[in-house]
Amino acid sequence: MRIFQMQRYSAIALLFFLTIHMIVVHYPPFHIDFDRILERMDNPLWKLIDILFLFAVLVHALTGSYMVLTDVERFNRIKRVLAGAAIVLGLWAMYYGTMTILAFSPPT
Amino acid sequence: MFDFLSFGKTPEMIKKRKTAFVRVQRFNPDEDEKPYIQEFEVPMTPETTVLDALQYVKTELDGSLTFRKSCRHAICGSCAMNVNGSNDLVCHRNLPESLDKTGVVTIKPLPYLPVIKDLVVDRTSFWEQYKRVKPWLVPPEDAPEKEFRVSPEEVAAINSAETCIMCGACYSSCQVIAMGKDYIGPHALLKSFLRVMDPRDTIPGERLDISGGEDGAYRCHTIFNCIDACPKNLNPTEAIETLRKLAQRRIAFEEERAERQKTLTEAAD
Amino acid sequence: MAHNEITHDVIIVGAGLAGTWAAMVAAREGVSDIGVLSKIHPLRSHSGAAQGGIAASLSNTRPVAGTGPRGPLEEVPPGAEASDSWELHMFDTIKGSDWLGDQDAIEVMVKDATEIVYEYEHMGCVFSRTDDGRINQRRFGGHSAPRACFAADWTGHVLLHTVHEQALRYDVKFYSEWYCMDLIMEEGICRGVVAMDVLTGELYTMRAKAVVFGTGGYGRAFAITSNAFANTGDGVAIAYNAGVPLMDMEFVQFHPTGLYRHGILMSEACRGEGGYLLNSQGDRFMNTYAPEKMELAPRDLVSRSEQTEINEGRGVMGDGQGIYLDLRHLGRDKILERLPQVREIAINFVGVDPIDAPVPIQPTAHYSMGGIPTTLDGQVLADADGALVEGFFAAGECACVSVHGANRLGTNSLLDASVFGRRTGYAVVDFIRNGAQLHPVSGDPAAENRARINDLLSRDGDENVEHIAQELKWTMTNNCGVFRDGERLQLALEEIKDLQKRFRHARTMDKGSRFNTDLLTTIEVDHLLQFSEVMVAGAIARTESRGAHSRTDFVKRDDENWLKHTMAHKPMVYEDEDAGPRLSYKGVDIDWEKYPPQERTY
Amino acid sequence: MYRSTGFISFFLRRLTGVALVIYLFMHMWVIGSVNQGPGVFDSRLNMVQTPFFKLAEVALLAAVVYHAFDGIRLLIIHYTGITDNRRSMFYAVFAIAALLTVAGGVPILLFMFE
């Protein structure tokens, strides 16, 4: 799949996830603390949604960054390196984020 | 600076004023270090075009002013320049209507392209991209004795793309081109669209590979500068959107084309 | 190889329809070493400005039965009898040419017409179509059937792009913005050209086995003209200076519908689609001059009718020099579909929308029938007896195969350029295949031309080149225009002589070498001055009225004395400097059985 | 430089895009500490709840909203092929983004002074 399509489809996914995220997280009251987050992140459904959200946002961010860079002629020559870097960074962030979400359990 | 000439005058009165101040960007790489603006005073009538003004400057005031021109009625595409910040053909641009309230019009070469001299730009990359999309039709091998039957609707769909005069106004207004010359560009994508949509063409798949590839339609950021700049009121953005959609369903499209070509020599219903 | 020397098998000068066709055909047939020179980018060539159509007797449309010659058109149903034929096209062309066209050439052209239109179609040209998918055809002046195949009103543009694209497909090498300065002729053999790379100002000796000229017309010798700035007849002047004769130079067509004061073309398709011409009293005056064909009479006749109306005080606009072209009754939809470019031009340049108001127009210099004489295969003739110049070909408007004779019919120019461009392409292929040689060049032609340029650049007189050009153009428009007479022609000749002298004191303002368009203008004006003299000299000698050459002191056509082509040679060096061109005459190819000269009425 | 509404919209899209990428990784850094216990998490969270970051949060909101609606505009153009109303669509996106930023930004700031 082309970078452009990856970005477009992840954008559509983000419209969905981001709306949920904004409503759930930032709808009043605005104060965020450990307990509130704790409560939500314990729920397996939320874990799934968060992982998907994380995936969409990473794809969108990294493809976007890639396109920002490769639109400039100078960077176009090192396209492969940039793409590789984006994939590595993406995999690492995905791993880190997923672990955060999955491994999390309320401290006893 | 306070402008006495236009103080208290209505736009109509200024329009009727007898002279215009033409500011032209000059640059001769052999002599000048960097471009500079030179101002000329040019007489005018309500019908004077910007090209007339440049021509007046060249013949009467400074013969070294250099610009391209040929047909003078907006069909050859030589004289695309940047007038008051937007690209246009100077031959069909009315001078009195281009003046600001102090009677000044500013003419610069097409932006983002290397300047050869004064208002003449180097369109090499423009033509390279044009060649890259294979602008020629590759018709079916077994040509009929008479014409291929193409319906008026099919002609209407591509008609506007065929009227592109390759002036470069869209190309040099494109922000993506400004960032990198490896983008195919609106002019060539429009040409590619013309050929892809032509029912007589046998290699739409190959074309979509090029125009739907890395440097093609997907690098367009829908900025619409090309539509705004086009002096012939064409719509490259729409063509690019169509190419994107077709590139996504390339196989199916190729099959449709092959199917269509079986009936290319038969009369439409 | 000397410095600044380039060699090709074939060098083609001019990248309009004729030149590109020749290049494309040659490349397609396998002659790969081709260089095409153009002083502007190939796609800027003036062929692209042609609007109305290209003629071919396809019989795709016909007038609805019983509606008369100006009624609506319908498709010819499959199986129905053909409504048009090449014989009819041939007769129309001969009659249009006032019998000065060579009939063998006309026959070749009209027979090739259908083939070439189909070839265009197969190459991807986007023609306007009939409902059942055939190429649509419209009426045109002087044609007795709807014969003009068209793509809205930018036919030339579409054809030019199509051929150019195909030339790119076959990898033709284009030298864009290279100006051809001179023809290298030694011992009557053409050995190449001298060209300037405009970008750097550098001169190159370009040697070739064959040189093809497709340099276009010389309509820029007139003040009111439909021609582009580039149409300065360089090729014609260069050939003339190299000792090649020029044929029928006095015949210049005036298009009846040039935009008032601008001269920009309002396509004949306006009248082909049914537009009216009106004088200041609102009369369709063509009633008086061509009751049968009305506005669709040939161009010379319509132009003369307009000029007569203007001269008799029935013109429109402030100075009474205009005529109205009325399209309002065609309706908005038809104008937008069939004449979009014409509408755009009228709005842009005179601020009139043809949908709402009549457009002011006037006759404008449009097409040069004369030029470099050639055979049917584009081979250039060295004299009236038919001797050939080896290795030198010409096609298109700069050439004179003489298919147009004294007056060209609308849509026949695209046909002429395409058909004879293609034929020349094939002829060049044969010429190369049959062992053409790269002849040696003695001396250094590039250096000689460098000296000429240096001379032009060093002049510091107080004459402005463009002023000289303007004076010449107005002299030509006023004295060698739609109507001519001996006295005024003589006046024009003296004026030209005078201007030629003044030109020697003219200065170029730009002294640089990079993209020096000022220098190019100077050279072009030099060329204008040279062939204008030939035009006027030919016109003075021809004491008759024929086609576009209309003399008020000799109003009748004189077949007994003047059914022949004018051939003008440059005077030899040892002759008097002021001696005009040497005129000789060449017979016209006429089939006395089938197409004998008759009276020409419409 | 060829200035036009299209260019401004494109420039802002890129600018907000890059800003959001930077934010994303910062955000992950903060939230990622959740497994290191409430102490670390709260300290990191407190760090980003200073007035400066509250202001930055309004900017973030503006960026997200603009970027999202500009994206919606592109989707509309892609799937409907509308190009005639391009200018009004630009302005509509600017207006909606501004409106939502104010609507969301004011409570954020008010909350800050509570």
Side-chain angles (χ1 to χ4, degrees):
Chain A
M1 199 159 51
R2 288 190 190 82
I3 309 277
F4 180 87
Q5 271 124 309
M6 286 163 71
Q7 185 162 39
R8 191 135 276 191
Y9 296 140
S10 62
I12 297 170
L14 275 184
L15 282 179
F16 173 69
F17 288 123
L18 199 66
T19 315
I20 297 178
H21 184 76
M22 294 295 255
I23 291 171
V24 172
V25 180
H26 296 293
Y27 203 66
F30 287 96
H31 186 69
I32 308 168
D33 63 21
F34 195 72
D35 292 337
R36 257 177 60 79
I37 292 172
L38 209 142
E39 200 180 300
R40 184 167 57 83
M41 283 180 83
D42 203 23
N43 183 333
L45 182 67
W46 275 113
K47 279 187 201 276
L48 180 69
I49 291 177
D50 278 347
I51 289 171
L52 290 175
F53 182 30
L54 174 72
F55 179 70
V57 84
L58 279 175
V59 167
H60 195 74
L62 291 170
T63 50
S65 310
Y66 176 80
M67 280 164 80
V68 169
L69 288 175
T70 52
D71 266 351
V72 181
E73 207 170 0
R74 198 153 20 105
F75 289 105
N76 220 332
R77 296 189 203 117
I78 49 169
K79 252 179 186 171
R80 279 164 188 282
V81 181
L82 289 174
I87 291 170
V88 169
L89 189 61
L91 286 177
W92 171 79
M94 192 67 210
Y95 171 78
Y96 177 75
T98 314
M99 280 305 124
T100 307
I101 296 167
L102 284 182
F104 182 79
S105 58
T108 45
Chain B
M1 199 173 69
F2 184 70
D3 180 37
F4 291 96
L5 283 171
S6 60
F7 179 68
K9 294 198 172 101
T10 62
E12 281 76 10
M13 290 165 80
I14 291 163
K15 249 189 200 174
K16 278 186 194 148
R17 200 164 64 177
K18 293 290 187 304
T19 61
F21 298 99
V22 179
R23 287 193 186 147
V24 188
Q25 178 177 319
R26 305 292 307 269
F27 180 52
N28 182 349
D30 293 341
E31 293 163 11
D32 309 321
E33 268 178 26
K34 58 181 184 197
Y36 59 98
I37 300 283
Q38 199 175 355
E39 186 172 296
F40 300 97
E41 193 174 345
V42 176
M44 65 173 183
T45 66
E47 283 186 352
T48 306
T49 62
V50 177
L51 179 62
D52 292 339
L54 288 176
Q55 190 65 15
Y56 177 85
V57 172
K58 183 165 181 70
T59 58
E60 305 295 331
L61 306 175
D62 186 349
S64 65
L65 177 69
T66 307
F67 50 93
R68 288 193 179 104
K69 61 175 190 294
S70 184
C71 77
R72 91 214 134 101
H73 61 270
I75 192 69
C76 77
S78 300
C79 63
M81 288 168 208
N82 188 288
V83 184
N84 292 338
S86 61
N87 292 353
D88 204 350
L89 296 174
V90 293
C91 66
H92 79 170
R93 176 115 177 190
N94 185 275
L95 180 63
E97 282 170 16
S98 306
L99 300 178
D100 65 7
K101 63 181 190 335
T102 55
V104 171
V105 60
T106 310
I107 307 167
K108 291 184 179 178
L110 288 178
Y112 309 140
L113 294 173
V115 174
I116 291 175
K117 186 176 169 188
D118 294 345
L119 301 168
V120 178
V121 293
D122 181 0
R123 286 193 180 93
T124 310
S125 62
F126 177 82
W127 295 117
E128 272 170 8
Q129 299 296 351
Y130 167 74
K131 247 185 120 166
R132 182 167 163 197
V133 298
K134 304 192 173 171
W136 52 83
L137 183 90
V138 181
E141 290 280 309
D142 47 341
E145 200 178 302
K146 293 192 169 183
E147 67 267 60
F148 290 112
R149 298 297 184 100
V150 182
S151 74
E153 293 76 35
E154 284 167 321
V155 169
I158 53 176
N159 202 311
S160 64
E162 182 62 69
T163 64
C164 169
I165 58 173
M166 294 286 156
C167 65
C170 60
Y171 184 80
S172 98
S173 73
C174 178
Q175 192 57 41
V176 186
I177 290 296
M179 293 185 291
K181 298 278 189 292
D182 44 6
Y183 172 46
I184 289 177
H187 69 302
L189 286 170
L190 186 66
K191 184 57 96 177
S192 183
F193 163 82
L194 168 77
R195 293 302 173 220
V196 166
M197 296 295 284
D198 194 321
R200 293 166 292 183
D201 189 53
T202 53
I203 55 163
E206 196 182 325
R207 293 180 195 285
L208 288 173
D209 271 352
I210 303 168
S211 53
E214 292 205 311
D215 299 333
Y218 291 107
R219 268 180 79 183
C220 167
H221 294 302
T222 331
I223 299 168
F224 293 126
N225 277 359
C226 51
I227 306 183
D228 292 339
C230 182
K232 304 299 273 184
N233 297 322
L234 305 181
N235 193 335
T237 310
E238 205 176 325
I240 291 171
E241 291 288 357
T242 311
L243 285 175
R244 278 180 186 163
K245 285 179 201 158
L246 290 179
Q248 288 178 28
R249 48 183 287 270
R250 200 192 110 185
I251 308 290
F253 183 69
E254 275 185 293
E255 279 164 10
E256 282 166 31
R257 171 59 46 82
E259 201 57 34
R260 170 72 183 90
Q261 277 174 357
K262 285 180 192 159
T263 58
L264 207 49
T265 53
E266 294 162 22
D269 296 323
Chain C
M1 205 197 287
H3 178 59
N4 282 4
E5 186 173 300
I6 296 171
T7 57
H8 282 292
D9 276 352
V10 187
I11 282 178
I12 294 173
V13 184
L17 269 188
T20 316
W21 257 108
M24 194 268 283
V25 164
R28 195 171 65 188
E29 296 299 313
V31 176
S32 56
D33 190 12
I34 303 172
V36 182
L37 303 180
S38 177
K39 69 173 173 177
I40 45 183
H41 186 275
L43 288 180
R44 317 283 183 231
S45 304
H46 204 55
S47 301
Q51 298 173 347
I54 175 167
S57 48
L58 304 182
S59 298
N60 282 354
T61 62
R62 66 181 184 196
V64 175
T67 57
R70 291 184 62 86
L73 297 176
E74 63 172 7
E75 291 157 39
V76 177
E81 200 186 324
S83 57
D84 196 4
S85 65
W86 65 263
E87 286 95 344
L88 210 54
H89 187 182
M90 180 162 174
F91 177 72
D92 289 342
T93 306
I94 294 170
K95 189 175 170 188
S97 79
D98 225 346
W99 276 270
L100 193 69
D102 283 323
Q103 298 185 1
D104 52 346
I106 295 175
E107 187 173 340
V108 164
M109 181 176 81
V110 299
K111 277 183 174 170
D112 274 4
T114 49
E115 198 185 311
I116 206 136
V117 168
Y118 288 139
E119 193 168 345
Y120 269 125
E121 203 275 343
H122 295 161
M123 292 193 310
C125 187
V126 184
F127 283 110
S128 296
R129 302 284 174 154
T130 62
D131 287 339
D132 65 353
R134 282 178 291 176
I135 296 171
N136 207 345
Q137 294 187 287
R138 61 161 62 118
R139 289 196 180 88
F140 241 74
H143 290 285
S144 51
R147 193 175 286 147
C149 311
F150 63 97
D153 59 354
W154 36 64
T155 316
H157 170 81
V158 174
L159 298 185
L160 177 67
H161 278 241
T162 307
V163 181
H164 180 76
E165 285 152 6
Q166 293 293 323
L168 290 180
R169 182 182 176 187
Y170 296 108
D171 268 330
V172 171
K173 179 165 173 50
F174 284 96
Y175 292 87
S176 175
E177 291 176 331
W178 279 53
Y179 184 77
C180 175
M181 296 276 303
D182 202 0
L183 201 58
I184 305 172
M185 292 270 274
E186 283 176 41
E187 296 156 2
I189 300 171
C190 177
R191 295 154 194 248
V193 298
V194 177
M196 185 204 311
D197 180 359
V198 179
L199 177 58
T200 59
E202 198 80 23
L203 286 179
Y204 293 86
T205 303
M206 306 185 80
R207 295 171 59 207
K209 297 172 184 171
V211 173
V212 181
F213 265 25
T215 54
Y218 45 85
R220 267 279 145 185
F222 295 84
I224 302 286
T225 173
S226 68
N227 285 201
F229 282 106
N231 290 19
T232 47
D234 299 311
V236 174
I238 290 167
Y240 180 65
N241 283 330
V244 175
L246 298 181
M247 191 157 101
D248 288 346
M249 289 291 284
E250 62 271 30
F251 293 101
V252 175
Q253 179 172 70
F254 291 84
H255 195 290
T257 54
L259 211 53
Y260 173 70
R261 291 237 299 250
H262 295 270
I264 294 168
L265 186 62
M266 300 294 283
S267 174
E268 185 164 338
C270 298
R271 284 170 290 136
E273 295 291 351
Y276 298 152
L277 294 175
L278 306 177
N279 62 16
S280 63
Q281 287 148 12
D283 291 335
R284 279 180 75 188
F285 55 86
M286 284 310 293
N287 229 337
T288 345
Y289 304 94
E292 201 179 307
K293 291 247 177 183
M294 296 293 284
E295 281 87 356
L296 284 181
R299 289 174 178 170
D300 58 333
L301 209 163
V302 182
S303 289
R304 274 200 298 279
S305 312
E306 285 181 1
Q307 198 61 46
T308 310
E309 291 293 311
I310 291 170
N311 292 349
E312 290 174 5
R314 290 189 293 277
V316 299
M317 303 307 279
D319 56 359
Q321 293 294 310
I323 290 287
Y324 278 134
L325 171 66
D326 192 354
L327 300 174
R328 288 173 294 182
H329 57 283
L330 299 181
R332 184 185 180 82
D333 293 342
K334 194 163 189 182
I335 293 177
L336 288 180
E337 186 208 330
R338 296 285 175 85
L339 304 165
Q341 191 192 167
V342 161
R343 173 170 180 259
E344 208 178 289
I345 290 172
I347 293 175
N348 269 329
F349 292 95
V350 288
V352 173
D353 188 341
I355 294 172
D356 307 321
V359 185
I361 47 115
Q362 73 182 113
T364 176
H366 181 56
Y367 187 87
S368 22
M369 269 75 74
I372 306 166
T374 68
T375 66
L376 298 183
D377 289 320
Q379 180 95 54
V380 173
L381 299 174
D383 56 32
D385 303 326
L388 301 175
V389 182
E390 193 186 327
F392 187 31
F393 298 79
E397 194 175 341
C398 74
C400 183
V401 207
S402 205
V403 281
H404 306 308
N407 172 57
R408 173 176 73 83
L409 291 187
T411 68
N412 266 355
S413 65
L414 288 178
L415 188 59
D416 169 28
S418 311
V419 167
F420 289 101
R422 186 172 72 153
R423 284 183 73 91
T424 306
Y426 283 116
V428 166
V429 171
D430 284 345
F431 180 71
I432 300 288
R433 292 252 164 86
N434 292 337
Q437 287 186 6
L438 200 61
H439 292 281
V441 173
S442 62
D444 188 350
E448 288 157 30
N449 279 277
R450 170 54 62 195
R452 176 184 171 201
I453 287 176
N454 289 342
D455 172 45
L456 286 176
L457 287 177
S458 66
R459 287 179 191 176
D460 250 334
D462 43 12
E463 290 280 1
N464 183 322
V465 176
E466 194 62 31
H467 292 174
I468 293 178
Q470 283 303 326
E471 280 184 45
L472 170 74
K473 288 168 183 178
W474 281 110
T475 302
M476 294 299 284
T477 298
N478 294 334
N479 301 325
C480 194
V482 179
F483 288 113
R484 303 158 173 185
D485 65 55
E487 212 172 297
R488 283 191 299 164
L489 286 171
Q490 205 61 48
L491 199 77
L493 190 63
E494 280 159 28
E495 187 91 8
I496 292 168
K497 289 276 182 207
D498 183 44
L499 288 171
Q500 283 174 344
K501 288 201 186 83
R502 278 170 58 191
F503 179 78
R504 288 172 210 158
H505 305 288
R507 70 172 192 279
T508 11
M509 286 192 259
D510 191 349
K511 310 283 186 197
S513 56
R514 171 186 280 262
F515 221 95
N516 191 340
T517 48
D518 205 28
L519 172 65
L520 292 192
T521 308
T522 311
I523 301 171
E524 285 165 357
V525 171
D526 194 6
H527 290 159
L528 288 180
L529 287 167
Q530 286 164 5
F531 65 73
S532 293
E533 186 186 350
V534 183
M535 285 160 74
V536 175
I540 291 174
R542 190 175 279 273
T543 50
E544 62 156 355
S545 288
R546 182 187 295 273
H549 174 67
S550 176
R551 286 185 61 156
T552 49
D553 46 355
F554 297 93
V555 288
K556 283 261 181 303
R557 192 174 85 193
D558 182 358
D559 283 342
E560 226 160 275
N561 297 310
W562 287 107
L563 192 52
K564 56 190 181 186
H565 299 295
T566 312
M567 299 279 264
H569 283 265
K570 190 180 166 125
M572 298 293 172
V573 270
Y574 49 80
E575 283 179 83
D576 178 17
E577 196 185 329
D578 281 338
R582 255 185 317 120
L583 300 180
S584 57
Y585 293 91
K586 175 173 172 282
V588 181
D589 183 278
I590 289 179
D591 185 340
W592 290 94
E593 303 262 294
K594 272 168 91 180
Y595 304 108
Q598 351 170 323
E599 207 193 331
R600 184 164 170 258
T601 53
Y602 286 93
Chain D
M1 188 58 81
Y2 206 90
R3 285 186 192 86
S4 61
T5 31
F7 170 70
I8 295 167
S9 128
F10 167 72
F11 178 74
L12 286 179
R13 189 193 319 153
R14 288 255 143 138
L15 191 75
T16 54
V18 172
L20 288 172
V21 170
I22 294 168
Y23 165 75
L24 172 69
F25 284 98
M26 225 167 76
H27 188 59
M28 283 175 72
W29 175 73
V30 172
I31 304 291
S33 65
V34 83
N35 282 344
Q36 292 162 33
V40 183
F41 181 72
D42 276 339
S43 75
R44 284 195 187 170
L45 202 61
N46 282 335
M47 206 157 84
V48 293
Q49 292 204 329
T50 56
F52 171 76
F53 275 94
K54 281 288 164 194
L55 273 178
E57 212 160 87
V58 179
L60 170 70
L61 178 69
V64 169
V65 170
Y66 175 77
H67 199 87
F69 280 91
D70 199 52
I72 292 172
R73 181 182 68 87
L74 289 182
L75 288 173
I76 293 173
I77 291 163
H78 180 78
Y79 288 107
T80 63
I82 297 172
T83 52
D84 288 343
N85 310 35
R86 52 188 183 275
R87 216 147 289 171
S88 34
M89 281 170 85
F90 285 135
Y91 294 135
V93 168
F94 292 145
I96 293 174
L99 211 70
L100 286 181
T101 308
V102 172
V106 169
I108 292 179
L109 292 179
L110 286 179
F111 187 73
M112 189 174 96
F113 298 113
E114 241 176 34

